[in-house]
Amino acid sequence: MVHQHGDEHDIPQEHFTNRHGAWLPADHRVQHQWLKTQIEHVDKSPKQELIPVLQQFKKLIEGNSRIYMYFNQMWEEIPLKKPYNKDPTGTKRQIRDYRHMLAVLNHIFTQAPQWTDAAYGVGMVGVPMVGIFDYVMATPSGHAAFLDPEVNKMIKKVLNEWGKFLKSPKSAEVLGGHKQGWFSEHGMKDLMEVANAPLRTAHRFEDMYVCDPTAKHYGYASWDDFFTRQLRDDARPVASPDDDNVIANACESKVYNVARHAKLRDRFWIKSQPYSVLDMLGQDPLAAQFSDATVYQAFLSALSYHRWHAPVSGRIVRAFVKDGTYFSEPLFEGPAGGYSEGERSTQRSGEIDTRAIAVAQGYLTALATRAVIFIQADNPAIGLMAFVGVGMDEVSTCEITVSQGQHVTKGDQLGMFHFGGSSHCLLFRAGVPIDGFPIPGRKENVPIRSKVAVIKQ
């Protein structure tokens, strides 16, 4: 199963990184080559004036002693040893300091995410800011910076400004059939491989998604218009539409975890990342009903469908977006987080986790920007349940398209991630006899609106 073209080739161990959701290529060299290309453009071009929102970011860094310290030290704290000190292209410390960081961001914000050909295979960097912050997020100063409320407030402004560009007609330029276009040979192949794998279909793009194959860019007006593309109903039928005991999958996603008896409050920042239900649900008063809950979590591929659909029929009791962090990842206790047996790494004490935020899915449920929707199910055996859409990094824009008091039918749209998405959770209260969840570890996505669990009578 390929989520990034180029990942199917034999990647040397020292360059392999397990990326949940495939937001960055598994071959770290692809990411390095992409970043090197951006940096070379910035370094060789005449100095450009920062766009207004990045000027504000620079003013925040330089006008606050605490934040100034963070953004200076985070680059200095990247270990001076392999693989951090020099990437495979021979470039030492690609981003040198916060000024250099802002200059590269200034360049990146003039383009939408491309389908990128790189020297060591073809990959896609769907989240360019993660490509820049990949190592510093896990340094002590980076950890502190990306938890800082003032920094996150500023990052939200930056992302909102980039979001305006990603909704503009100019952003659609990356949707062409050219080498760096999403409708290129490799781009289309991988998009449809991911889409067809769950049900072993052979759909063409126009069979799967609502579009106009005769129009430029298949009729999509912008990058965001493409990324929030709609599925054709017959491509993903609703599981047992007349049986309220069958729970439908809310997102096209790959299973991450199934947890029973999740505590109302727990230490979500430790290595095991236990779910902390009160924090997941934004400390809403209704969260108290979910002590000892069952939690199902699955993550979205960068190439997947990014809208959310109702897992049950019922009434929307409450729906809101909880602002949170954007680039925070945990500094695990013990030997710098360590790796579980069987994973391709030999991380030791004092090293940072090169897998970055990809393995912080549980942690993100408590801190990242997220959409929380409570649904009073028509099925009394379920009662009140909750959906949580968790944003990740620059893809933290969550749009809820239902409102309080509205009745939804299983399979109806609830909302969407703009510019991508991270993961989602379904929470069921203690005592709900739910079972039959897909087993973590399957290679394919679980198709949206298919059966994800059942209520035992």
Side-chain angles (χ1 to χ4, degrees):
M1 185 65 190
V2 179
H3 289 268
Q4 297 261 0
H5 189 76
D7 283 359
E8 74 274 24
H9 68 257
D10 186 22
I11 304 172
Q13 180 175 339
E14 65 269 25
H15 301 303
F16 179 88
T17 306
N18 183 27
R19 306 283 195 180
H20 291 293
W23 288 99
L24 293 175
D27 190 337
H28 217 179
R29 295 171 297 183
V30 172
Q31 178 190 345
H32 279 300
Q33 182 63 31
W34 173 84
L35 188 54
K36 181 173 182 282
T37 301
Q38 311 308 310
I39 290 171
E40 285 180 346
H41 177 89
V42 170
D43 291 349
K44 292 178 181 179
S45 301
K47 186 176 181 180
Q48 299 293 315
E49 183 179 10
L50 296 177
I51 60 175
V53 73
L54 292 179
Q55 291 180 27
Q56 294 178 41
F57 199 175
K58 183 173 184 286
K59 184 176 180 181
L60 173 68
I61 292 171
E62 296 178 345
N64 184 301
S65 300
R66 180 187 71 258
I67 296 173
Y68 181 71
M69 176 181 67
Y70 292 157
F71 276 86
N72 274 280
Q73 286 189 332
M74 67 170 66
W75 305 103
E76 298 169 359
E77 289 169 354
I78 298 173
L80 293 174
K81 56 183 177 180
K82 293 181 180 181
Y84 321 104
N85 63 328
K86 187 180 291 187
D87 70 41
T89 64
T91 306
K92 293 183 178 180
R93 281 194 176 177
Q94 293 185 320
I95 302 291
R96 297 184 291 271
D97 52 42
Y98 76 84
R99 296 177 187 85
H100 198 208
M101 171 198 80
L102 291 171
V104 175
L105 287 174
N106 201 51
H107 168 59
I108 287 173
F109 281 9
T110 64
Q111 56 189 314
Q114 297 175 328
W115 193 275
T116 305
D117 284 355
Y120 295 90
V122 183
M124 186 280 296
V125 179
V127 279
M129 289 180 73
V130 178
I132 293 173
F133 298 141
D134 193 25
Y135 286 160
V136 294
M137 286 190 294
T139 65
S141 293
H143 178 71
F146 294 121
L147 280 175
D148 191 287
E150 290 186 70
V151 171
N152 280 294
K153 186 178 180 180
M154 187 68 244
I155 289 176
K156 182 177 181 179
K157 284 186 180 180
V158 171
L159 296 180
N160 285 343
E161 195 64 30
W162 193 42
K164 293 178 184 177
F165 173 76
L166 295 180
K167 290 184 177 182
S168 72
K170 183 172 175 56
S171 69
E173 293 175 359
V174 300
L175 300 179
H178 54 279
K179 193 175 183 181
Q180 292 183 317
W182 282 77
F183 294 134
S184 65
E185 178 186 355
H186 286 144
M188 186 65 82
K189 172 183 176 292
D190 288 2
L191 280 168
M192 295 318 298
E193 181 176 340
V194 171
N196 280 314
L199 297 178
R200 299 182 181 179
T201 51
H203 291 312
R204 297 173 300 172
F205 186 88
E206 56 266 35
D207 300 328
M208 181 75 70
Y209 300 107
V210 177
C211 64
D212 180 359
T214 66
K216 186 179 181 180
H217 304 144
Y218 281 71
Y220 296 115
S222 66
W223 157 261
D224 183 59
D225 192 25
F226 160 71
F227 225 58
T228 58
R229 57 193 179 274
Q230 296 184 57
L231 273 169
R232 297 193 184 278
D233 283 342
D234 57 357
R236 291 291 186 266
V238 179
S240 305
D242 298 322
D243 187 351
D244 284 346
N245 286 321
V246 175
I247 311 301
N249 190 28
C251 293
E252 185 95 356
S253 50
K254 189 174 179 181
V255 189
Y256 177 74
N257 191 24
V258 178
R260 305 279 184 177
H261 310 295
K263 296 180 181 178
L264 191 60
R265 206 79 191 269
D266 213 333
R267 294 163 59 86
F268 58 85
W269 56 89
I270 65 175
K271 181 180 175 181
S272 59
Q273 300 179 66
Y275 293 113
S276 182
V277 171
L278 183 63
D279 297 291
M280 292 174 72
L281 298 177
Q283 301 195 14
D284 188 272
L286 291 175
Q289 298 186 40
F290 288 83
S291 180
D292 212 30
T294 295
V295 180
Y296 169 79
Q297 183 177 8
F299 56 88
L300 287 73
S301 162
L303 310 185
S304 296
Y305 174 73
H306 292 94
R307 295 183 182 233
W308 329 318
H309 290 253
V312 298
S313 295
R315 178 175 56 86
I316 305 299
V317 177
R318 192 164 296 153
F320 61 91
V321 173
K322 175 71 174 178
D323 283 340
T325 62
Y326 295 93
F327 294 95
S328 177
E329 66 170 76
L331 288 180
F332 296 125
E333 297 177 346
Y339 282 72
S340 60
E341 187 177 354
E343 294 194 82
R344 301 173 69 175
S345 177
T346 55
Q347 185 181 0
R348 297 178 179 86
S349 179
E351 295 184 2
I352 63 178
D353 192 333
T354 56
R355 299 172 304 169
I357 210 162
V359 290
Q361 297 286 324
Y363 172 86
L364 290 173
T365 64
L367 284 180
T369 296
R370 54 207 181 276
V372 180
I373 302 175
F374 292 96
I375 305 174
Q376 183 68 37
D378 291 345
N379 186 345
I382 300 173
L384 187 68
M385 60 85 60
F387 166 88
V388 181
V390 186
M392 182 183 79
D393 311 320
E394 54 258 60
V395 291
S396 293
T397 301
C398 304
E399 180 187 1
I400 297 172
T401 58
V402 291
S403 56
Q404 185 172 327
Q406 178 181 340
H407 186 275
V408 293
T409 299
K410 182 170 63 174
D412 287 352
Q413 181 178 295
L414 294 177
M416 69 195 82
F417 291 115
H418 285 269
F419 328 128
S422 175
S423 68
H424 79 288
C425 297
L426 301 179
L427 288 86
F428 299 89
R429 296 178 303 164
V432 174
I434 190 165
D435 206 353
F437 290 107
I439 299 172
R442 61 177 280 167
K443 293 181 179 181
E444 300 83 10
N445 285 331
V446 178
I448 195 164
R449 307 205 299 186
S450 68
K451 182 177 73 173
V452 77
V454 294
I455 301 298
K456 291 185 174 182
Q457 294 297 326

